[in-house]
Amino acid sequence: MKRLVHTFRKELKEASGRSDALTPAEQEALIRGYDAALDGERPPRLVLIGESGVGKSTTVNALFNAGQPVGHTRATTDHAYAVQVEEVSGRRGVLEVVDMPGIGDDLTNYRRYLDLYLRVLPTADAIVWVHAAEDRSVHLVQQALLDLLGQSGPDLSERLVLALNKADEIDPHDWNRSANLPSARQLEALRERAADFTEKIVRVLPAWQGGAVTYSARQHYNLTALFKEMMQAVPQQRRWVLERRMDLADFTAKVDRKLLKAASARMLAEVRPQAAVEAAQAAAPATGARLSEALAALPEAKWRELTQDRALFLAFTRRVEQESGR
């Protein structure tokens, strides 16, 4: 969508430049007016729902490099309010984040919270319900969504995103810290968790067409999938506004440097095959060297397949590690 906006601007400028009906000053004024219209577009508004400690602020930080305060022992916010977040780079613009009180934090306030939600939700471009991936308590989520969106029709329910955070903490708790990926057993558990959560939400919201996304804001894992789901939830005419703010945290920043060096060595193989192998071997001794060699020896098609599928990459590295230990 952002590319479409820039393409249209370029075509508009070229078309106005070819027009005999416009003076150079009028052409410049036309482009300035177009840019002003883009800059004057209302910032995207995200309504975040989730109980204390589930990682709402961390999620916003990971998606938009927003620098919101993160609370570890208690709720960072205890009431709904709009926060205009200016990106650190200064290039991404602002977005509004409405951090709603966790609807399950205090059941005595449930009805009062519902009234608040019913006023706020219609103002959202996207409604992001953040839930812990390992938390199987879905009943309250089902009831709240039924009360909030069950009678709203498809328009509002289409803006709903179910975000299952803390994927790295799901049982059996054996996250691969070196590759920054779930273990094979964790990956299977996450797939089952997302499918189960989605099925249970569809029971109470048949009009909802989305799918629960498992991710880890802290580990920067699967943020692309979460942002893609958010883009689908935002009304189509507003998607470009959200996309302009995107600034995803770097997944590779959490990956072991030796693995990254091995991957970089493999990418050099087409130009300098022997140098690439030597660089990979120098990246790490013992098992690391074996992994480097294995990566460097991969055919191009297999390398592309591995780099596009984290699960396959993880399985490959584990297999090499097991063979090295024999």
Side-chain angles (χ1 to χ4, degrees):
M1 185 65 71
K2 181 169 62 176
R3 185 179 296 111
L4 179 61
V5 170
H6 290 308
T7 299
F8 180 79
R9 184 187 187 282
K10 180 180 178 181
E11 292 176 351
L12 177 64
K13 186 174 182 179
E14 292 174 350
S16 65
R18 292 192 300 266
S19 174
D20 296 331
L22 298 175
T23 66
E26 290 172 333
Q27 295 170 13
E28 185 177 345
L30 177 63
I31 298 302
R32 282 203 308 269
Y34 177 76
D35 290 339
L38 291 182
D39 294 337
E41 184 73 18
R42 178 173 59 83
R45 171 172 281 203
L46 305 179
V47 172
L48 298 182
I49 307 172
E51 297 181 21
S52 302
V54 78
K56 290 178 289 181
S57 295
T58 308
T59 297
V60 172
N61 291 342
L63 292 174
F64 303 102
N65 192 17
Q68 284 208 107
V70 176
H72 296 289
T73 59
R74 59 182 298 273
T76 301
T77 58
D78 55 9
H79 61 282
Y81 67 101
V83 180
Q84 285 204 334
V85 182
E86 190 168 343
E87 295 294 342
V88 173
S89 66
R91 296 182 295 105
R92 303 296 187 183
V94 298
L95 65 150
E96 292 180 351
V97 177
V98 183
D99 189 354
M100 303 297 288
I103 208 163
D105 288 352
D106 186 351
L107 292 180
T108 61
N109 290 324
Y110 183 74
R111 180 51 55 186
R112 181 170 63 85
Y113 281 172
L114 285 182
D115 292 339
L116 175 63
Y117 274 59
L118 289 172
R119 292 197 303 271
V120 173
L121 293 187
T123 71
D125 286 305
I127 303 164
V128 185
W129 193 305
V130 184
H131 194 80
E134 196 169 37
D135 184 359
R136 295 186 173 274
S137 302
V138 185
H139 173 74
L140 182 60
V141 179
Q142 288 177 308
Q143 185 61 58
L145 287 175
L146 185 60
D147 292 339
L148 293 169
L149 305 179
Q151 307 301 321
S152 67
D155 180 59
L156 199 53
S157 64
E158 285 175 356
R159 302 184 207 175
L160 175 66
V161 176
L162 293 181
L164 301 180
N165 192 17
K166 302 186 178 182
D168 53 310
E169 296 182 11
I170 200 166
D171 188 69
H173 309 290
D174 54 352
W175 187 266
N176 188 316
R177 299 292 169 184
S178 295
N180 193 29
L181 292 169
S183 68
R185 292 185 300 170
Q186 278 187 312
L187 186 63
E188 183 60 29
L190 289 170
R191 287 171 176 167
E192 292 177 358
R193 187 74 188 99
D196 179 70
F197 202 90
T198 299
E199 178 186 354
K200 290 178 178 175
I201 298 306
V202 171
R203 289 179 193 172
V204 296
L205 286 182
W208 186 60
Q209 299 296 315
V213 178
T214 58
Y215 74 105
S216 173
R218 182 176 62 183
Q219 296 301 126
H220 308 165
Y221 169 74
N222 216 24
L223 296 178
T224 301
L226 175 58
F227 194 84
K228 180 179 179 181
E229 197 70 19
M230 291 170 60
M231 287 287 291
Q232 291 298 316
V234 173
Q236 188 168 3
Q237 69 274 17
R238 295 272 298 160
R239 289 175 185 170
W240 68 272
V241 184
L242 180 66
E243 187 184 29
R244 292 182 76 187
R245 272 73 176 178
M246 181 180 68
D247 193 0
L248 304 185
D250 184 9
F251 166 81
T252 63
K254 303 280 187 174
V255 178
D256 186 274
R257 299 295 95 186
K258 294 175 182 178
L259 289 181
L260 289 182
K261 288 180 180 178
S264 299
R266 175 63 188 92
M267 294 177 70
L268 291 173
E270 287 188 15
V271 180
R272 300 174 60 199
Q274 185 55 40
V277 173
E278 291 173 357
Q281 291 174 337
T287 300
R290 178 73 181 97
L291 177 59
S292 299
E293 293 174 3
L295 287 169
L298 287 175
E300 185 63 25
K302 184 62 177 179
W303 167 253
R304 293 186 183 278
E305 181 183 0
L306 286 180
T307 55
Q308 292 172 6
D309 190 318
R310 292 190 178 104
L312 287 178
F313 185 82
L314 175 59
F316 177 82
T317 58
R318 291 175 71 87
R319 185 170 66 252
V320 172
E321 289 173 356
Q322 291 172 355
E323 291 175 353
S324 300
R326 292 174 184 172

